[in-house]
Amino acid sequence: MKSHYKVIVIGGGIGGCSTLYHLTQEGCTDVALIERNELTSGTTWHSAAQVTNFGATQTMVGLKSHSIQLYKKLAADPENPINYHHASGGIRLASTQEHLDGYNHFISLAKGMGVDFELLSPVECAKRHPLIETHELVGGLWDPLDGDIDPAQLTQALAREARKAGAEIFRHNPVEDIHQKEDGTWVLQTKNGEVSCDKLVNAGGYRVNELGKMLGIEYPVISMEHMYFLTEAIPEIEAFGKRVPLLRDPLDDFYSRQEKNGLLVGIYEQRCKTWGMDGIDPNFVNALCPDDLDRCLDNMERVFERMPCLERTGIHSIVNGPITYSADGNPLVGKTPGFDNLYSIIGLRAGLGEGGGHGKILAEIIVHGESEWDTWCIDPARFTSHANTEFTALKSIEDYQNEFRFHMPHEARPAGRLAKTTPIYTTLKMQHAEFGVVNGWERAMFFKPDADYKFEHSFRFTDTDKKIVAKEVKGVTENVGIMEVNGFNRFEIKGPKAAEWLDSLMCSNIPKTVGRIGLCYFLTEKGNVLGEATIAKLSEDTFWYGSAAAAEYKDMDWLRSHLPDEGVEITSLTNTHTILSVTGPKSRDLIASLSPRTDWSNEAFPWLTTKSVYIGHAQAQALRVSFSGELGWELHVPNEQLLLAHTLLTEAGVDYGLIPFGSMALESMRLEKGYRHWKADLITEFDPFESALDRFTKINKEANFPGKAALLAKQGQPMRKKFVTITVDCDIAAAHPGDSICVDGKVVGTVTSAAYGYRVEKNIVLGFIDPAYADEGSEVDVEIIGTPYPAVVVSDCLYDPKNEKVRSK
C-alpha cells in the first residue's frame, strides 16, 4: 500500500467493487479497496443474484437499468465472460385487484425511464412459465430483462476493470481501527500497516456496524437470515427448451429461478430471524448459518401448490446466509450525515441486482457532489435519531415478511411505530386520528368518524377521500381547522454574521426587516434545486430556518458544511417545538379570543410576518403563513406547553366551528395552490427555472451563492423539463408519483404529486414535462392505473390565484 489515497473503500463485496469501478470511470483513479478476506467472501458469494428492472421509484428503476446494461457489457468480454442469464424474463404474480392496480402504476412509472413492463393475464402467466398453477391469480407483471448472474464472476470483473484503470485492491487486510485527524484526513490502522485517505467509503456488508463502531456511528442496518434451496433436475425444465422465467409471488412469499436443470427457490418465511446483532464471529468468512428449513414449513405447502413439480423433486442443497436490511428496505448510498468526507454503500438487500447502479450513484456523489438522479430514496440522511438498532430490527423483520408486497398509497406499516410522538398524540388518537409516519413522527393523516373505521388503502378514490378528506377541506374553507405539524425542521441561526451568511447561501432574497418571513431556495453546485426553507427574521441577528420534517439531517448537514469560522451559531429546535396550524376564515377570530394582548389585525399582523405571542398562557412564535391557501397562522409552541395550547384552541374553537384536519386534506389544498413539496416536486434533477421558481430566484444578486456559476453558464440553453400544473378528466383515482404524462402515446413528462382538489373540484397533477407541451392549454394524457386520461396544462395556482384569502383582512 501507498501511505495515502484520495479515496479508500472498505469492503470487497458487490457494493465496494462497484464503487471502486465507477470511481475510476469518473476519473478518480487514486483509489484503493481494502478487504478483510477475499473478495465476495461476505454476503455476495451466496447471493441468489437476481437482476431485475423492477423498482418502486424512478431512481430505483434507473439504477437497476444501469446495472443490467453494465453487467451485459462485462459479460460480453470474450477473455473473461460472466455467466449472466440476461433477459430470461420474470413474472411478479398478482392475486388481488390492488396488486394489478399497483403493477399498472409501476408500468407507467418505469416507462418514464425507458423500461417496458407488461401486464399478463393468468393464462399468459402459465403460458410463459409452464411450472406454475394459476389458482388465486388475477395476473402478473412481466419484466422482459429479468435474469440472474454469477456473483463471484461479476465482482471479480468489476475489480479487474478497476485495477486496469489504476485502482489498487488489498485483500486479507482487516481494518482494525479508524480515526480522523483535525484536517479531516482519515487514518486506517490495518493488519498490514497504517494508511490514510481524503475520503472514506464504508462498504462493509454485514460487518457494517463493526466499522461503524470504529467511526462512532450506529448505522440503521442489520442482517436477516435468508434461505433458499436448490433442487435436483426437473424433467419439465429439461423439456421446456429455454430457461424458465424468474418468479416472485407476494401471496406465497417465495421466488424461484432456474439453476442448471433444476430450480433455486427462496422463501421469505414469516418466522424469520435477525442475525449477528450480538456480534459476528471474526472467522465467519465464506460461511453460512445452520440449515433451518423447518421455519419455512408454513410456506412450503403453498409453494408446492403453486409449483407442483417441487413435490416430485428432491432438494439438492440448502443455503442459509445473512443479507443486510436497512430500516426501510432501501440501501444507504451517499454521504454520511455529520461528515464531509465519509460515505456508505450499505444495507444492500438486493445488492447484486442493484449494485451496478449503487456504485455509479456513489461514485458520482464522491467525485461531483451529486448524481444525475435525485437519490433521496437511498440517501443515508433520510434516517434520523429514531432509527436505532432495535427499531431497524423491527422494520427489517417487517420488510422481510413483506418482501414482494409493495407499499399501498398512504400505507404506514405497524412495526417500529410510536418512535416519535408529541404531548398531544393521545389527544388526537382520542379524536380518532389515523396516523401516518414522517421521519419517525406520528402525524395525523385524517380523522375517522369513529374508532372502528377501517382505512382502505387503494390506488383508487375511496370513501376516505370522497367523504372524510372532503369534509375536512370544507371545514377549513368555511370555518377554521387545526392541524398538528410535528417534526418540522426548525433551526435557530444567530450571530453578527447570520444575515450575511444566510444571504450568501440562498438563490433567493432573505427577509431584510425584523418580523418578516421569506420563502427561500438553495441549490447544488450544478445549479439544481437542493432545498427549500422558510426563513423568519426574529431580530437583527437571529433567524428561524424551517423546512420539511424529513430534511432534518440533510439540511443541518448542508448548513454546517458551509459555516464560517466565527460569527454564526446554529441550534436545532426541531425536537423541542411543534407547529399547530390554525387556518380558515375564522382563524383570526379564534386565535384573537385567546390572545387579546396581541393585535391580530391585517394592519398589525400582515401576511408573511411573525411575532412572539401568547395563546392563553402558552408561549408561541406565530408565523402568518398558510400551506392551505386560507387565512391562517403557524403557532410554533414549545412541546412542554403544546397540550395546553391545543386544549385552549380546541375548547375555544367550539364557538367557531373548529375541526381537526390531517395531512391528506392539506395535500389536496396545497396542490390547488401549486405549492411544492420537498423531494416530491423539488428534486436535484432540475434547476429553479425548470422547477418554475423564477420569482424566488435572484440570479443577479450580489452574493455568490452555491450553484450561481452553473446557473449563469446555462443561460440561453433550452430547458430539459418544465414544472407544470395539470388537471385530469378522471373520476376514479388520482395519479400517483412516477406516473407518465404522454402525448400520442409518447412519454413527455412525469407526475411528482397528485390529489383531488375539493375546493376547485378538479383532479390535479403536478409534474415535470417537456417544455414543448408546458404552455397553458396544452393537451396531454396522464396515465392512471393503466389507462391514459385526457388532461390539460393549467395555471400553477387554481385556487385564489391573487392570494386574497391568505391576505384576508
Side-chain angles (χ1 to χ4, degrees):
M1 289 188 298
K2 297 189 305 182
S3 62
H4 185 84
Y5 294 87
K6 187 170 184 178
V7 184
I8 289 179
V9 180
I10 305 176
I14 181 61
C17 289
S18 179
T19 301
L20 193 73
Y21 166 81
H22 283 94
L23 282 169
T24 64
Q25 296 299 297
E26 295 297 327
C28 181
T29 57
D30 183 19
V31 294
L33 184 149
I34 298 176
E35 161 58 39
R36 72 191 309 275
N37 197 268
E38 285 286 354
L39 300 183
T40 78
S41 60
T43 293
T44 300
W45 77 272
H46 62 75
S47 169
Q50 299 168 104
V51 184
T52 175
N53 250 340
F54 181 82
T57 67
Q58 288 197 327
T59 296
M60 296 304 291
V61 172
L63 66 86
K64 291 184 180 190
S65 292
H66 172 79
S67 297
I68 290 172
Q69 293 159 12
L70 172 62
Y71 299 172
K72 189 177 178 182
K73 173 186 170 184
L74 293 173
D77 182 349
E79 295 182 5
N80 298 284
I82 298 174
N83 188 21
Y84 180 22
H85 300 116
H86 171 66
S88 300
I91 305 173
R92 292 175 185 268
L93 299 178
S95 56
T96 67
Q97 183 61 48
E98 287 74 20
H99 286 157
L100 292 182
D101 287 349
Y103 289 161
N104 272 311
H105 163 62
F106 293 123
I107 289 171
S108 186
L109 178 148
K111 190 187 300 184
M113 297 299 288
V115 172
D116 293 322
F117 294 147
E118 181 184 356
L119 198 65
L120 306 180
S121 68
V123 172
E124 188 63 28
C125 288
K127 184 177 178 181
R128 298 193 191 188
H129 198 305
L131 302 180
I132 67 169
E133 295 293 322
T134 59
H135 59 277
E136 298 184 80
L137 294 187
V138 294
L141 181 72
W142 174 254
D143 176 359
L145 298 185
D146 212 342
D148 65 273
I149 195 165
D150 185 292
Q153 290 177 351
L154 170 61
T155 307
Q156 292 291 348
L158 291 165
R160 183 168 51 250
E161 293 300 314
R163 284 192 186 101
K164 285 181 184 178
E168 298 181 41
I169 296 175
F170 302 97
R171 300 168 299 141
H172 302 283
N173 190 26
V175 175
E176 298 171 341
D177 190 32
I178 306 171
H179 70 272
Q180 193 171 26
K181 296 165 69 173
E182 286 189 10
D183 65 359
T185 301
W186 292 103
V187 179
L188 285 66
Q189 187 65 48
T190 75
K191 177 184 176 182
N192 296 331
E194 187 176 278
V195 61
S196 64
C197 61
D198 298 328
K199 297 180 180 182
L200 181 64
V201 177
N202 184 345
Y206 54 65
R207 296 189 183 273
V208 53
N209 279 308
E210 291 180 3
L211 295 173
K213 190 173 183 180
M214 300 178 197
L215 295 163
I217 299 169
E218 181 183 18
Y219 290 101
V221 174
I222 67 150
S223 296
M224 300 289 298
E225 288 189 20
H226 177 59
M227 270 183 292
Y228 61 79
F229 61 84
L230 303 168
T231 73
E232 304 286 356
I234 298 174
E236 292 94 325
I237 291 179
E238 296 178 295
F240 190 48
K242 59 181 180 180
R243 290 186 68 81
V244 296
L246 287 82
L247 191 70
R248 298 170 182 86
D249 189 340
L251 181 65
D252 301 322
D253 301 308
F254 82 99
Y255 62 90
S256 73
R257 67 166 176 84
Q258 186 170 334
E259 179 68 18
K260 297 183 180 179
N261 284 322
L263 287 175
L264 181 155
V265 180
I267 307 292
Y268 285 95
E269 71 281 6
Q270 298 302 295
R271 293 187 292 153
C272 54
K273 289 176 62 177
T274 59
W275 180 86
M277 290 184 64
D278 295 322
I280 302 170
D281 187 334
N283 299 314
F284 191 89
V285 175
N286 280 114
L288 294 172
C289 309
D291 296 348
D292 190 11
L293 205 55
D294 285 350
R295 73 169 187 259
C296 298
L297 292 178
D298 293 346
N299 298 75
M300 295 298 285
E301 182 177 352
R302 292 182 286 115
V303 173
F304 288 170
E305 289 174 355
R306 182 67 64 206
M307 301 181 74
C309 65
L310 293 173
E311 294 182 304
R312 306 185 295 273
T313 305
I315 293 177
H316 179 271
S317 56
I318 299 171
V319 173
N320 184 22
I323 56 176
T324 55
Y325 275 70
S326 77
D328 66 1
N330 279 346
L332 282 75
V333 179
K335 192 165 76 70
T336 303
F339 297 87
D340 292 329
N341 58 350
L342 177 63
Y343 304 83
S344 67
I345 181 167
I346 54 179
L348 309 185
R349 177 182 66 177
L352 262 294
E354 302 172 352
H358 292 152
K360 163 188 160 65
I361 284 173
L362 184 55
E364 290 173 345
I365 291 171
I366 292 172
V367 176
H368 307 296
E370 60 190 280
S371 172
E372 67 173 288
W373 301 310
D374 188 283
T375 59
W376 180 245
C377 62
I378 57 175
D379 193 319
R382 72 190 189 274
F383 295 115
T384 58
S385 59
H386 66 288
N388 54 41
T389 301
E390 302 305 317
F391 173 89
T392 301
L394 294 172
K395 295 303 293 184
S396 297
I397 291 168
E398 182 180 63
D399 279 335
Y400 186 97
Q401 293 170 333
N402 291 277
E403 178 67 27
F404 300 128
R405 301 184 189 107
F406 51 79
H407 277 78
M408 294 292 289
H410 305 295
E411 181 184 11
R413 291 176 176 169
R417 296 297 292 272
L418 305 184
K420 294 181 181 179
T421 60
T422 72
I424 64 169
Y425 170 80
T426 302
T427 301
L428 300 182
K429 192 170 182 65
M430 291 174 64
Q431 294 177 335
H432 309 312
E434 177 75 23
F435 291 96
V437 181
V438 180
N439 189 23
W441 291 97
E442 298 287 331
R443 186 179 293 179
M445 293 189 290
F446 64 89
F447 288 80
K448 300 178 288 188
D450 56 68
D452 297 326
Y453 180 86
K454 299 300 181 185
F455 184 20
E456 178 186 356
H457 300 290
S458 176
F459 282 90
R460 301 167 184 262
F461 290 134
T462 67
D463 280 351
T464 300
D465 301 287
K466 292 293 189 179
K467 295 181 180 179
I468 298 175
V469 175
K471 182 180 178 181
E472 291 181 4
V473 172
K474 180 179 173 65
V476 170
T477 306
E478 295 182 352
N479 294 303
V480 58
I482 185 169
M483 176 183 175
E484 179 191 48
V485 186
N486 49 16
F488 185 77
N489 205 19
R490 184 185 301 94
F491 304 146
E492 183 179 77
I493 299 172
K494 63 181 181 179
K497 295 183 180 179
E500 176 187 357
W501 178 68
L502 277 172
D503 188 59
S504 74
L505 297 180
M506 303 292 160
C507 71
S508 313
N509 289 330
I510 68 167
K512 301 294 192 294
T513 305
V514 173
R516 293 296 297 178
I517 300 167
L519 187 60
C520 301
Y521 293 89
F522 51 99
L523 312 178
T524 71
E525 290 296 340
K526 291 185 178 181
N528 293 327
V529 176
L530 181 59
E532 175 190 68
T534 299
I535 296 180
K537 186 167 185 175
L538 305 190
S539 71
E540 287 299 337
D541 62 357
T542 303
F543 295 81
W544 267 18
Y545 169 112
S547 61
E552 180 184 355
Y553 278 13
K554 188 74 170 178
D555 283 9
M556 180 62 85
D557 210 39
W558 187 80
L559 290 169
R560 283 180 171 163
S561 71
H562 289 83
L563 270 177
D565 293 335
E566 58 182 9
V568 181
E569 297 178 2
I570 305 178
T571 303
S572 177
L573 306 177
T574 299
N575 298 307
T576 62
H577 290 64
T578 297
I579 295 172
L580 295 177
S581 175
V582 182
T583 185
K586 297 181 182 178
S587 58
R588 176 183 284 119
D589 296 336
L590 168 57
I591 297 174
S593 72
L594 293 167
S595 186
R597 292 200 298 123
T598 296
D599 186 347
W600 296 87
S601 70
N602 197 58
E603 295 74 21
F605 206 151
W607 185 44
L608 297 180
T609 61
T610 181
K611 292 182 180 182
S612 179
V613 302
Y614 285 93
I615 305 300
H617 55 293
Q619 187 176 0
Q621 186 71 33
L623 281 65
R624 189 174 167 188
V625 293
S626 171
F627 209 42
S628 70
E630 302 289 345
L631 172 68
W633 280 263
E634 288 181 355
L635 305 175
H636 295 241
V637 183
N639 280 342
E640 65 269 22
Q641 293 192 315
L642 184 66
L643 178 59
L644 167 64
H646 186 267
T647 300
L648 293 172
L649 287 162
T650 301
E651 290 175 349
V654 173
D655 294 334
Y656 300 93
L658 178 72
I659 66 158
F661 70 101
S663 58
M664 291 175 66
L666 186 64
E667 180 76 355
S668 169
M669 292 186 282
R670 69 101 178 168
L671 262 66
E672 293 174 313
K673 293 293 294 179
Y675 293 158
R676 314 294 197 267
H677 195 288
W678 186 71
K679 289 309 175 193
D681 316 303
L682 301 170
I683 58 176
T684 58
E685 295 177 22
F686 302 107
D687 67 41
F689 299 110
E690 293 165 330
S691 303
L693 300 173
D694 308 47
R695 68 188 185 277
F696 299 102
T697 306
K698 311 303 178 183
I699 195 168
N700 294 318
K701 67 185 286 188
E702 184 177 347
N704 188 29
F705 56 84
K708 182 177 182 179
L711 278 189
L712 289 170
K714 288 176 61 176
Q715 284 188 315
Q717 296 181 13
M719 291 185 178
R720 296 164 293 180
K721 296 287 186 181
K722 180 70 174 178
F723 190 79
V724 296
T725 299
I726 296 171
T727 57
V728 190
D729 185 11
C730 175
D731 59 6
I732 66 166
H736 296 277
D739 279 337
S740 287
I741 304 166
C742 302
V743 172
D744 296 329
K746 175 187 174 184
V747 177
V748 298
T750 298
V751 174
T752 56
S753 295
Y756 192 81
Y758 296 98
R759 296 177 297 193
V760 299
E761 297 183 337
K762 300 286 185 182
N763 197 347
I764 304 172
V765 159
L766 305 184
F768 286 95
I769 194 169
D770 288 351
Y773 307 100
D775 293 338
E776 286 187 39
S778 294
E779 295 181 352
V780 297
D781 293 323
V782 174
E783 293 187 343
I784 301 178
I785 51 177
T787 301
Y789 288 90
V792 62
V793 177
V794 296
S795 165
D796 64 353
C797 182
L798 294 170
Y799 181 74
D800 187 29
K802 295 183 179 180
N803 284 326
E804 292 174 343
K805 292 183 179 291
V806 292
R807 299 175 187 269
S808 179
K809 296 182 179 180

